[in-house]
Amino acid sequence: MIRFVLGAMACVAVAHADTLTLTDALQQVAQNHPLARAVALELEATRWRGRAEAAFAPMSVYLAPMISDGGSGEELIVRQPLELNGGQRARAALSHARYQLHQAEAQRALNDLLTQTAEAYIDAYAAQRRLEAVAQFMETLDALQPRVAVHAPREAALTQATELRLAHRRALYRLNALLQRPLDAPLVLLPVQPLPDAPTADDAVDADAAQLALLQAELRLMRTRLLPDVVLQARVEKFAGNSTRPAYALVLEFPLIDYGARRAEIRAQQLLIEAQTLRIEAARQQAQAAQRAAEDAYRLAQARLVQAQRRLDTLTAAGARLAVSDADTLEHATDLWRARMELIDAEHHALRAWVAWKATDAAFLKEVRLHATRP
């Protein structure tokens, strides 16, 4: 009776549950998760800050008391640097490099979030599959109960079903939290379909390379400060009647004496660029090694999955040819259930290995972008 009530409640929950695919889950997280929106807002803020940094140098206005041969009064000086030394262009390049770096960091954060989503989806899907296998085994036991004693396997199946139900609930909690849904909201997860091999996006940026470009842009800006510049200046000493004496000039500024500070700053920046170049080389080798190791782990998990599928097929074929006692039928049903659980475990392991492999190539971020462009 208790099992019937639990089964009826599960049927009602499934009837009102939403169906979901992995691609749908990735898309929902990319659109609705607060972290994804926060990353987008921070990137937009960086773009606006870059506009401010890339603007022309501001005009300076000075108004101060003065004493001259004409007596005391006020002096107004207006200065506008023309930045003929390339300062404005260097700042624009620096702001673009900073935006590229923040974009790379945003892409990495979003890909990590989508990878967590894929892992949560696969864990919940595996837990769902295990519960379905237990339910199928219980139906087989119910059919055999009038003819053979099934108390021992039933108790074992009920105990495992309780543990699997808790594991499934925890997996749904994690997935629903990422999807911004109520934690107890039921879901029916569809089988995982392989993601298409998508080319790298045009705006994809490597974070280490973007950091190097930022250091190089900072170096160019430092060097412009060593170059002379022209400043347009207007000066007014008096503001009353005929005594007003305006003057206009082109001021040529030479940064001659800085006591070696700028050159030391440039040398330090050059050393940072060399260090970052070495970091890029080391990181590239590590990334290639990690990607190959993840691919090898996935291939191995796939081979084990094929072996588990063959064992299940062999048992299924043997059962179709089996015409013996009810006790032998019970033993075969138990072996079949265990083989099915082993297959689900192997599939779960293979899918987790697949996620780890695809995450190294930002495949989930690419899938979200492709999904957004599909009709």
Side-chain angles (χ1 to χ4, degrees):
M1 180 64 182
I2 294 177
R3 189 171 67 252
F4 173 77
V5 173
L6 291 177
M9 293 175 61
C11 291
V12 173
V14 169
H16 292 83
D18 295 331
T19 59
L20 193 71
T21 65
L22 175 58
T23 299
D24 293 337
L26 296 174
Q27 190 69 20
Q28 290 183 25
V29 169
Q31 292 177 352
N32 302 327
H33 198 278
L35 179 58
R37 298 201 302 269
V39 167
L41 291 175
E42 291 171 352
L43 191 60
E44 183 67 11
T46 302
R47 187 175 68 86
W48 281 99
R49 186 177 292 113
R51 285 188 176 185
E53 294 175 348
F56 287 101
M59 180 182 298
S60 302
V61 179
Y62 304 92
L63 179 61
M66 62 160 293
I67 299 177
S68 65
D69 55 357
S72 61
E74 296 82 21
E75 181 181 40
L76 175 67
I77 299 178
V78 180
R79 294 171 56 89
Q80 174 60 61
L82 300 183
E83 294 191 295
L84 300 182
N85 58 358
Q88 190 272 336
R89 292 190 299 273
R91 287 198 311 276
L94 177 62
S95 65
H96 178 71
R98 186 175 291 113
Y99 178 82
Q100 290 289 98
L101 176 60
H102 287 184
Q103 185 181 28
E105 294 172 346
Q107 290 174 353
R108 182 167 54 189
L110 184 56
N111 187 65
D112 291 343
L113 178 63
L114 296 176
T115 300
Q116 295 176 21
T117 303
E119 292 173 348
Y121 184 97
I122 286 170
D123 291 345
Y125 176 70
Q128 174 185 294
R129 291 255 292 158
R130 293 186 181 101
L131 283 178
E132 293 172 353
V134 171
Q136 185 176 358
F137 181 55
M138 292 297 295
E139 292 177 359
T140 303
L141 294 180
D142 291 340
L144 292 173
Q145 184 175 8
R147 304 189 301 272
V148 66
V150 297
H151 177 73
R154 182 193 299 276
E155 290 300 321
L158 285 176
T159 300
Q160 190 168 6
T162 302
E163 298 174 354
L164 292 177
R165 193 175 295 111
L166 292 176
H168 181 248
R169 188 179 303 169
R170 289 193 297 267
L172 280 185
Y173 287 163
R174 183 188 178 196
L175 181 58
N176 280 326
L178 289 167
L179 295 173
Q180 298 298 294
R181 291 165 48 94
L183 297 182
D184 294 322
L187 279 172
V188 175
L189 305 181
L190 300 181
V192 177
Q193 300 295 330
L195 299 182
D197 293 332
T200 303
D202 294 337
D203 59 346
V205 183
D206 179 73
D208 293 330
Q211 180 65 38
L212 176 60
L214 177 63
L215 293 174
Q216 293 171 340
E218 290 175 344
L219 178 61
R220 287 193 294 270
L221 181 60
M222 292 175 186
R223 285 173 171 166
T224 60
R225 294 169 181 167
L226 294 175
L227 301 176
D229 193 19
V230 177
V231 179
L232 181 62
Q233 177 174 297
R235 181 168 175 263
V236 179
E237 292 184 359
K238 293 287 185 176
F239 301 97
N242 297 328
S243 62
T244 300
R245 296 191 298 272
Y248 306 96
L250 287 176
V251 181
L252 188 60
E253 293 184 341
F254 292 90
L256 297 179
I257 303 176
D258 63 356
Y259 304 99
R262 289 190 178 92
R263 297 190 182 278
E265 187 181 30
I266 288 176
R267 180 53 184 162
Q269 194 72 9
Q270 290 172 338
L271 294 176
L272 289 177
I273 290 175
E274 294 178 10
Q276 184 63 21
T277 303
L278 294 175
R279 287 180 180 274
I280 290 176
E281 182 180 355
R284 183 179 293 111
Q285 294 177 350
Q286 292 176 359
Q288 291 176 353
Q291 187 172 12
R292 290 186 180 182
E295 184 177 1
D296 291 343
Y298 170 65
R299 302 302 181 193
L300 178 60
Q302 279 289 98
R304 292 174 178 172
L305 176 60
V306 171
Q307 293 176 358
Q309 183 66 56
R310 288 176 180 172
R311 286 196 297 269
L312 179 61
D313 294 341
T314 301
L315 281 173
T316 303
R321 297 189 300 266
L322 196 62
V324 289
S325 64
D326 291 337
D328 292 335
T329 303
L330 175 61
E331 181 180 359
H332 176 265
T334 304
D335 293 340
L336 194 64
W337 170 56
R338 290 172 180 169
R340 187 173 290 111
M341 296 296 286
E342 291 176 359
L343 175 63
I344 295 173
D345 292 340
E347 181 186 31
H348 185 197
H349 183 70
L351 286 174
R352 286 300 298 261
W354 173 76
V355 169
W357 175 37
K358 288 299 183 179
T360 60
D361 192 34
F364 304 111
L365 182 58
K366 296 175 185 177
E367 172 62 15
V368 166
R369 292 179 173 178
L370 285 177
H371 183 84
T373 57
R374 289 173 188 150

